Amino acid sequence: MIKLKMCYDLDISQQKTIINAMAVNEDGVMVTGGDNGSLWFWDWQSGHNFQQSQTIVQPGSLDSEAGIYACSYDVTGTRLVTCEADKTIKMWKEDENATPETHPLHFRPPKDIRRF
C-alpha cells in the first residue's frame, strides 16, 4: 500500500475558472489551463503565479470555445502543447527575448505558505 502525504497547498482559486488541465516540466514550471481559455504559470516550489496568458480562439469560433481541455510539455520541457475547445491543438514556446529586466519578478514567498 502506498501512503501519500500532501506537501503544500497551491491556491489555484485565484484563476477564477474551472481548471481542466495541469502540467509540470522538469524546471518546476507548472501550468494550469482553464475553462475560459486562461493559462496560468506557477513556480512549483513556492506556489507563486508568475505569468498569465489567454488563448485566442480560432477565427469563426465563439468566445465561449476558448476552453483548454488538456496540456502537456514536450520532451524538452520548453514547449507547451494545449488541446482546446475550438477544436485546435496549439504549441506555445518560451519568449527567447525575455530577461529579468523586461519581465521583472518581484516575489517574496509569503510567510504563511501552508506546508503539511
Side-chain angles (χ1 to χ4, degrees), residues 20-103:
N20 292 327
M22 183 210 63
V24 181
N25 69 7
E26 289 184 5
D27 293 330
V29 177
M30 183 176 86
V31 62
T32 53
D35 227 16
N36 61 359
S38 60
L39 287 168
W40 284 37
F41 296 86
W42 308 79
D43 174 46
W44 175 255
Q45 293 295 326
S46 67
H48 172 63
N49 169 244
F50 62 86
Q51 183 179 351
Q52 301 169 17
S53 187
Q54 185 71 29
T55 192
I56 299 171
V57 294
Q58 182 170 331
S61 297
L62 302 172
D63 287 340
S64 62
E65 295 179 313
I68 297 171
Y69 290 148
C71 62
S72 180
Y73 284 100
D74 71 350
V75 294
T76 67
T78 60
R79 293 182 192 260
L80 178 68
V81 182
T82 57
C83 248
E84 304 188 12
D86 64 353
K87 302 177 186 91
T88 61
I89 296 173
K90 296 184 178 122
M91 296 194 69
W92 306 76
K93 68 176 188 167
E94 292 181 21
D95 183 355
E96 297 165 353
N97 299 320
T99 66
E101 289 75 30
T102 62
H103 293 79

Side-chain angles (χ1 to χ4, degrees), residues 5-17 19 21-25 28-33 40-50 73 107 109-110 112-116:
K5 176 182 164 188
M6 186 186 314
C7 296
Y8 58 90
D9 184 18
L10 291 174
D11 186 15
I12 60 173
S13 65
Q14 298 173 52
Q15 200 164 349
K16 306 239 184 288
T17 190
I19 305 298
M22 183 210 63
V24 181
N25 69 7
V29 177
M30 183 176 86
V31 62
T32 53
W40 284 37
F41 296 86
W42 308 79
D43 174 46
W44 175 255
Q45 293 295 326
S46 67
H48 172 63
N49 169 244
F50 62 86
Y73 284 100
F107 172 70
D112 64 341
I113 287 182
R114 296 180 299 221
R115 297 192 184 269
F116 300 95

